[in-house]
Every structure is written in structure tokens, then in C-alpha cells.
């Protein structure tokens, strides 16, 4: 896990590069009244998708951090 904002920036750039030209050039038509779902400027579907991916990555990162901490705090008892 990167602990960086750059993956988010890359995801946003990818969405802008792929979806926006299709919509703006007229290859994809958005039904009236549904713009808030799949709009090139503010869409709910991509926002929810990014939120789910972000939460999944955060959960994995937290789990890895807990495993690393538990391994580093494990003490070895040596019998003398």
C-alpha cells in the first residue's frame, strides 16, 4: 500500500481520459434526468466505486499494519 494520494489521482485521470471523451463526443448518450448518475463532471456511480475501492485498500492496509505490529511485538522467551 502506498499511503499516497497518487493512486487516487491516477484513477481520476483514467476516468477523465476514458469516459469523458465518449460522453462529450456523443458516443454515449445520457438520458435526461440521469445526469447525476453518470455525468462527466459529478457522477455518483464512479464516486461510489472509488469509495468502495478506497475502503477495500484501506482495510487491507490496516490489516497488514496490524500483522506487522503483532510480529514485531512478539517476544521470544528463552529458557536458561
Amino acid at each position: 500500500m502506498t499511503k499516497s494520494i497518487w493512486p487516487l489521482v491516477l484513477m481520476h485521470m483514467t476516468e477523465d481520459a476514458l469516459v469523458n471523451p465518449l460522453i462529450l463526443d456523443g458516443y454515449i448518450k445520457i438520458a435526461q434526468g440521469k445526469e447525476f448518475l453518470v455525468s462527466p463532471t459529478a457522477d455518483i456511480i464512479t464516486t461510489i466505486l472509488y469509495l468502495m475501492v478506497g475502503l477495500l485498500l484501506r482495510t487491507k492496509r490496516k490489516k497488514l499494519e496490524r500483522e506487522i505490529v503483532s510480529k514485531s511485538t512478539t517476544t521470544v522467551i528463552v529458557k536458561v
Side-chain angles (χ1 to χ4, degrees):
M1 300 296 151
T2 64
K3 293 186 182 181
S4 171
I5 193 149
W6 288 109
L8 174 65
V9 172
L10 292 174
M11 287 173 60
H12 181 71
M13 287 175 24
T14 303
E15 188 253 343
D16 285 347
L18 296 176
V19 176
N20 289 354
L22 294 174
I23 293 173
L24 296 174
D25 291 342
Y27 293 106
I28 297 175
K29 303 283 185 195
I30 301 173
Q32 280 189 322
K34 304 294 183 190
E35 295 92 359
F36 69 95
L37 291 174
V38 189
S39 167
T41 55
D43 57 351
I44 292 177
I45 293 175
T46 347
T47 302
I48 292 172
L49 176 66
Y50 289 165
L51 176 66
M52 290 186 326
V53 168
L55 290 174
L56 176 72
L57 291 174
R58 181 181 183 275
T59 303
K60 286 187 173 193
R61 180 177 54 86
K62 290 290 191 178
K63 182 179 176 184
L64 284 172
E65 286 176 354
R66 280 193 306 269
E67 289 174 2
I68 290 171
V69 167
S70 69
K71 285 181 182 177
S72 67
T73 57
T74 305
T75 57
V76 177
I77 299 175
V78 179
K79 293 183 180 180
V80 184

